[in-house]
Amino acid sequence: MSVRLPSSPVSSSVSLPLTRRLAHLGDRWLPRLVLSPTVFASLLFVYGFIAFTAYLSLTESRLMPNYSFAGLEQYSALFDLDRWWVSAANLGIFGGLFIMICLITGLLLAVFLDQKIRFEGALRAIYLYPMALSFIVTGAAWKWILNPGLGLEKMLHDWGYTQFSMDWLVDSDMAIYTVVIAGVWQSSGFVMALFLAGLRGVDDSIIKAAMVDGASLPVIYRKIVIPALRPVFFSVLLVLSHIAIKSFDLVMALTAGGPGTSSDVPAIFMYQFSFTRGQLGLGAASAMMMLMTVLAVLVPLIYLETKEAGRAR
């Protein structure tokens, strides 16, 4: 018959702190080890290539990278090109109208759906459906719709409305506005979803108290609900600005930057000069100017939001 000896209290007291120390080290370093590949990949493939592009913009690189330093020559050549200023002006037109119309349309749709109407789920799905499509599909579809010989204009002419004209797609003065139409159609539903989520997060008791005080529904939305959506406005502006500045596939599918260069945007400018015209340094300079534009929009928004959050505390 075997006799089990009692465990030594000294060994138990030693092993317990050791186990705790190992558990503490695991809790401290395991998340870092799990996240380290993602952090490393981001540093290399995002910030590393941004730094590489910035250096290329300061070189004489043409068809292939040339690492000899050339200062700001590429930026000087970029600013001397009329096409760059045309693309920058088109970005201002497209970005301004795209953001403003998406904000207004998305907010109105969200307020409409917030009234607990019938078939809300079906309408929400319909409004959100365009966002499920790629910009290539959207551009191709609107290219057919706005084509004077195939789409809306031809259909109305066949119905007898021969005076109707919708030739914006082939009009150099109006082509950029067709990009606005297609972009708003695709993104308004996404903006609506963000605003609707924000509206559903507003405290109902505040709205009921305002109604008891005799405030009408438009006044409640204008003075109580919409000001409470400041964080949502920040997110929407950030997302829409990012979409507008990096717009490439939508423009390529819809107008390809034409007629001529009338609907050209910086993303198309950067792609063509970098990869089809053998001007890699010039394309890198245009890419860095796009990055500066993103930062010019992003930094003030983050500063205002951080400042407002600090006041709220």
Side-chain angles (χ1 to χ4, degrees), residues 151-272:
L152 184 63
E153 181 175 326
K154 183 179 184 303
M155 182 183 70
L156 291 177
H157 286 181
D158 293 342
W159 288 356
Y161 300 97
T162 57
Q163 301 300 318
F164 179 81
S165 176
M166 187 62 179
D167 59 350
W168 290 9
L169 199 62
V170 295
D171 186 348
S172 59
D173 294 327
M174 303 299 293
I176 189 63
Y177 299 103
T178 63
V179 184
V180 176
I181 293 172
V184 169
W185 178 81
Q186 175 150 1
S187 301
S188 292
F190 174 67
V191 176
M192 177 272 300
L194 293 179
F195 276 125
L196 186 60
L199 289 173
R200 296 291 165 82
V202 176
D203 191 356
D204 289 339
S205 62
I206 301 176
I207 300 176
K208 292 178 181 178
M211 295 177 68
V212 170
D213 291 339
S216 62
L217 195 60
V219 172
I220 292 174
Y221 272 97
R222 189 175 70 252
K223 293 189 176 182
I224 299 176
V225 177
I226 293 179
L229 299 178
R230 177 186 291 270
V232 181
F233 275 99
F234 168 76
S235 300
V236 169
L237 284 173
L238 190 61
V239 171
L240 293 181
S241 299
H242 180 258
I243 292 174
I245 293 171
K246 72 179 185 65
S247 56
F248 172 81
D249 41 4
L250 177 63
V251 182
M252 285 297 293
L254 184 57
T255 65
T261 59
S262 59
S263 61
D264 199 12
V265 290
I268 294 179
F269 178 97
M270 182 273 297
Y271 170 77
Q272 291 183 346

Side-chain angles (χ1 to χ4, degrees), residues 46 48 50 55 57 82 95 103 130 137 140 144 146 156 185 200 219 225 254 266 286 291-293 296 298 300 311-312:
V46 178
I50 289 176
Y55 183 76
S57 69
D82 291 337
L103 275 173
V137 175
W144 297 334
L146 298 176
L156 291 177
W185 178 81
R200 296 291 165 82
V219 172
V225 177
L254 184 57
S286 66
L291 177 62
M292 293 300 106
T293 306
L298 179 63
R311 288 179 180 177

